Amino acid sequence: MPAGGSIRHPVSHTGVSKVANKAALRQWMRSHQDLWIQPKVDGVAVTLVYRQGQLVQATSRGDGLKGEDWTAKVKRIAAIPARVTGPLANSVLQGELFLRRDNHVQHQMGGMNARAKVAGAMMRQDDSALLDHIGIFYLGLAGRSPPRWMSVCRR
């Protein structure tokens, strides 16, 4: 996918740095407080902006500061609500779009190029039937602490 885009993210997408081995991971964990753990979803990052309960903007990760406008395509993904209420009515959510597959066990069947298929569906100009098979894993409210339902390890 192309880096960058024309839409500025309200909250930048940050990445993670990989550590070389378990010893380096232990050292990194000792130097950080309030760690939280979430499942790894091999998908395509997206930012969703809701204003007065309406989905008004969907943006690809791009270069982390700016991304592509995916609003029209995202509004066609059934897993993403066009309207929300309550505390989410004026919010910025970050998540991962992923390919839903029944009875798929990745460590037995491999990744099936799922991430590339999702990215392709979002980038193509034509209507894609694949949009019906895309789900979303919400990482949380952008720029805020992890949701209460996620495990937090305090030291």
Side-chain angles (χ1 to χ4, degrees):
M1 286 193 329
S6 61
I7 308 298
R8 182 167 291 283
H9 286 288
V11 176
S12 63
H13 274 261
T14 58
V16 294
S17 299
K18 294 184 179 184
V19 294
N21 52 45
K22 288 182 182 181
L25 176 62
R26 280 189 212 97
Q27 180 180 350
W28 182 88
M29 289 178 72
R30 279 194 291 273
S31 68
H32 290 78
Q33 300 293 315
D34 293 340
L35 300 176
W36 57 290
I37 299 168
Q38 66 190 38
K40 168 66 175 123
V41 177
D42 191 20
V44 178
V46 66
T47 297
L48 306 174
V49 179
Y50 288 91
R51 294 291 174 248
Q52 298 178 0
Q54 295 280 4
L55 177 62
V56 297
Q57 186 70 54
T59 311
S60 71
R61 183 185 192 284
D63 66 5
L65 300 174
K66 291 182 179 178
E68 298 292 326
D69 183 358
W70 283 357
T71 309
K73 289 271 177 121
V74 164
K75 285 183 174 182
R76 295 180 42 221
I77 298 172
I80 300 175
R83 295 187 55 79
V84 294
T85 59
L88 295 180
N90 291 293
S91 63
V92 177
L93 302 172
Q94 289 179 330
E96 291 281 323
L97 300 176
F98 67 93
L99 188 60
R100 294 179 294 135
R101 288 289 181 235
D102 291 336
N103 302 315
H104 179 77
V105 180
Q106 186 159 343
H107 77 274
Q108 294 172 350
M109 302 172 188
M112 305 180 323
N113 266 343
R115 184 180 184 284
K117 289 177 183 176
V118 171
M122 298 307 294
M123 297 301 291
R124 278 193 296 275
Q125 296 299 319
D126 65 340
D127 291 344
S128 175
L130 194 61
L131 295 176
D132 296 336
H133 301 284
I134 294 177
I136 186 164
F137 179 82
Y138 292 100
L139 300 171
L141 291 163
R144 298 211 187 146
S145 297
R148 287 186 203 149
W149 53 266
M150 289 188 171
S151 298
V152 177
C153 175
R154 298 191 192 285
R155 295 172 191 235

